[in-house]
Coordinates of all heavy atoms in Angstrom, one line a residue:
N186 N 4.0 30.9 -12.5 CA 3.9 32.2 -13.2 C 5.4 32.5 -13.5 O 6.1 33.0 -12.6 CB 3.3 33.3 -12.3 CG 3.1 34.6 -13.0 OD1 3.1 34.6 -14.3 ND2 3.1 35.6 -12.3
P187 N 5.9 32.2 -14.7 CA 7.3 32.4 -15.0 C 7.8 33.8 -14.7 O 7.2 34.8 -15.0 CB 7.3 32.1 -16.5 CG 6.2 31.2 -16.7 CD 5.1 31.6 -15.8
G188 N 8.9 33.9 -14.1 CA 9.6 35.1 -13.8 C 9.1 35.8 -12.5 O 9.6 36.8 -12.1
D189 N 8.0 35.3 -11.9 CA 7.4 35.8 -10.7 C 8.2 35.3 -9.4 O 8.1 34.1 -9.2 CB 6.0 35.5 -10.6 CG 5.3 36.2 -9.4 OD1 5.9 36.6 -8.5 OD2 4.0 36.3 -9.5
K190 N 8.9 36.1 -8.7 CA 9.7 35.7 -7.6 C 8.9 35.8 -6.3 O 9.4 35.5 -5.3 CB 11.0 36.6 -7.5 CG 11.9 36.4 -8.8 CD 12.2 35.0 -9.1 CE 13.1 34.9 -10.3 NZ 13.3 33.4 -10.7
S191 N 7.7 36.4 -6.4 CA 6.9 36.4 -5.1 C 5.9 35.3 -5.0 O 5.8 34.7 -3.9 CB 6.1 37.8 -5.2 OG 7.0 38.9 -5.2
H192 N 5.3 34.9 -6.1 CA 4.3 33.8 -6.1 C 5.1 32.5 -6.6 O 5.3 32.4 -7.8 CB 3.1 34.1 -7.0 CG 2.4 35.3 -6.5 ND1 2.6 36.6 -7.1 CD2 1.4 35.5 -5.6 CE1 1.8 37.5 -6.5 NE2 1.1 36.9 -5.6
R193 N 5.5 31.8 -5.7 CA 6.2 30.5 -6.0 C 5.5 29.3 -5.7 O 4.3 29.4 -5.1 CB 7.5 30.5 -5.1 CG 8.3 31.8 -5.1 CD 9.0 32.1 -6.4 NE 10.0 31.1 -6.7 CZ 10.6 30.9 -7.9 NH1 10.2 31.7 -8.9 NH2 11.6 30.1 -8.0
L194 N 6.0 28.2 -6.2 CA 5.2 26.9 -6.0 C 4.7 26.7 -4.6 O 3.5 26.3 -4.4 CB 6.1 25.7 -6.4 CG 5.6 24.3 -6.1 CD1 4.4 24.0 -6.9 CD2 6.7 23.3 -6.3
T195 N 5.6 26.9 -3.6 CA 5.2 26.5 -2.2 C 4.3 27.5 -1.5 O 3.6 27.1 -0.6 CB 6.5 26.4 -1.3 OG1 7.2 27.6 -1.4 CG2 7.4 25.3 -1.8
N196 N 4.2 28.8 -2.0 CA 3.3 29.7 -1.4 C 2.0 30.0 -2.2 O 1.4 31.0 -2.0 CB 4.0 31.0 -1.0 CG 4.6 31.7 -2.2 OD1 4.2 31.5 -3.3 ND2 5.5 32.6 -1.9
I197 N 1.7 29.1 -3.1 CA 0.5 29.2 -3.9 C -0.4 28.1 -3.5 O 0.0 26.9 -3.6 CB 0.7 29.2 -5.4 CG1 1.6 30.4 -5.8 CG2 -0.6 29.3 -6.2 CD1 2.1 30.3 -7.3
V198 N -1.7 28.3 -3.2 CA -2.6 27.2 -2.8 C -2.7 26.2 -4.0 O -2.8 26.6 -5.1 CB -4.0 27.7 -2.5 CG1 -5.0 26.6 -2.3 CG2 -3.9 28.6 -1.2
K199 N -2.6 25.0 -3.7 CA -2.5 23.9 -4.7 C -3.9 23.2 -4.8 O -4.4 22.6 -3.7 CB -1.5 22.9 -4.5 CG -1.0 22.0 -5.6 CD 0.0 22.8 -6.5 CE 0.7 21.9 -7.5 NZ -0.2 21.4 -8.6
I200 N -4.5 23.1 -6.0 CA -5.7 22.3 -6.2 C -5.3 20.9 -6.4 O -4.4 20.6 -7.1 CB -6.5 22.8 -7.3 CG1 -7.0 24.2 -7.1 CG2 -7.7 21.9 -7.6 CD1 -7.7 24.9 -8.4
T201 N -6.0 19.9 -5.7 CA -5.7 18.5 -5.8 C -7.0 17.8 -6.1 O -8.1 18.2 -5.8 CB -5.0 17.9 -4.6 OG1 -6.0 17.9 -3.5 CG2 -3.8 18.7 -4.2
S202 N -6.8 16.6 -6.7 CA -8.0 15.7 -6.9 C -7.5 14.3 -7.2 O -6.3 14.1 -7.5 CB -8.8 16.2 -8.1 OG -8.1 16.2 -9.3
G203 N -8.4 13.3 -7.0 CA -8.1 12.0 -7.3 C -9.3 11.2 -7.8 O -10.4 11.6 -7.7
S204 N -9.0 10.0 -8.4 CA -10.0 9.2 -9.1 C -10.8 8.4 -8.1 O -11.9 7.8 -8.4 CB -9.3 8.3 -10.1 OG -8.3 7.4 -9.5
T205 N -10.3 8.2 -6.8 CA -11.1 7.6 -5.8 C -10.9 8.5 -4.5 O -9.9 9.2 -4.4 CB -10.7 6.2 -5.5 OG1 -9.4 6.2 -4.9 CG2 -10.7 5.3 -6.7
P206 N -11.8 8.4 -3.5 CA -11.6 9.2 -2.3 C -10.2 8.9 -1.6 O -9.6 9.8 -1.1 CB -12.8 8.7 -1.4 CG -13.8 8.3 -2.4 CD -13.1 7.7 -3.5
A207 N -9.8 7.6 -1.6 CA -8.5 7.3 -0.9 C -7.4 7.8 -1.7 O -6.4 8.4 -1.1 CB -8.4 5.7 -0.9
A208 N -7.4 7.7 -3.1 CA -6.4 8.3 -3.9 C -6.3 9.8 -3.7 O -5.2 10.4 -3.6 CB -6.5 7.9 -5.4
A209 N -7.5 10.5 -3.7 CA -7.6 11.9 -3.6 C -7.0 12.3 -2.3 O -6.2 13.4 -2.2 CB -9.0 12.4 -3.7
N210 N -7.2 11.6 -1.2 CA -6.6 12.0 0.1 C -5.1 11.8 0.2 O -4.4 12.7 0.7 CB -7.3 11.1 1.2 CG -8.7 11.5 1.5 OD1 -9.2 12.6 1.3 ND2 -9.5 10.6 2.0
L211 N -4.6 10.8 -0.4 CA -3.2 10.5 -0.4 C -2.5 11.6 -1.3 O -1.5 12.2 -0.9 CB -2.8 9.2 -0.9 CG -1.3 8.9 -1.0 CD1 -0.7 9.1 0.4 CD2 -1.1 7.4 -1.5
I212 N -3.1 11.9 -2.5 CA -2.5 12.9 -3.4 C -2.5 14.3 -2.6 O -1.5 15.0 -2.7 CB -3.4 13.0 -4.7 CG1 -3.1 11.7 -5.5 CG2 -2.9 14.3 -5.5 CD1 -4.1 11.6 -6.6
D213 N -3.6 14.5 -1.9 CA -3.6 15.8 -1.2 C -2.5 15.9 -0.1 O -1.9 16.9 0.1 CB -4.9 16.0 -0.6 CG -5.2 17.4 -0.1 OD1 -5.4 18.3 -0.9 OD2 -5.2 17.6 1.2
Q214 N -2.3 14.8 0.6 CA -1.3 14.7 1.6 C 0.1 14.9 1.0 O 0.9 15.6 1.6 CB -1.3 13.3 2.3 CG -2.5 13.1 3.2 CD -2.5 11.7 3.8 OE1 -1.5 11.1 4.0 NE2 -3.7 11.1 4.0
V215 N 0.4 14.3 -0.1 CA 1.7 14.4 -0.7 C 2.0 15.8 -1.1 O 3.0 16.4 -0.8 CB 1.7 13.6 -2.0 CG1 3.0 13.8 -2.8 CG2 1.7 12.1 -1.7
Y216 N 1.0 16.6 -1.7 CA 1.2 18.0 -2.1 C 1.3 18.8 -0.8 O 2.1 19.8 -0.7 CB 0.1 18.5 -3.0 CG 0.4 18.1 -4.4 CD1 -0.4 17.1 -5.0 CD2 1.3 18.7 -5.2 CE1 -0.2 16.8 -6.4 CE2 1.5 18.4 -6.5 CZ 0.7 17.5 -7.1 OH 1.0 17.1 -8.4

Side-chain angles (χ1 to χ4, degrees):
N186 186 25
D189 189 338
K190 300 307 178 184
S191 298
H192 300 95
R193 311 292 290 168
L194 171 66
T195 57
N196 63 16
I197 301 173
V198 173
K199 200 83 166 71
I200 297 173
T201 67
S202 64
S204 55
T205 66
N210 288 335
L211 180 57
I212 291 168
D213 193 70
Q214 288 176 34
V215 171
Y216 277 107

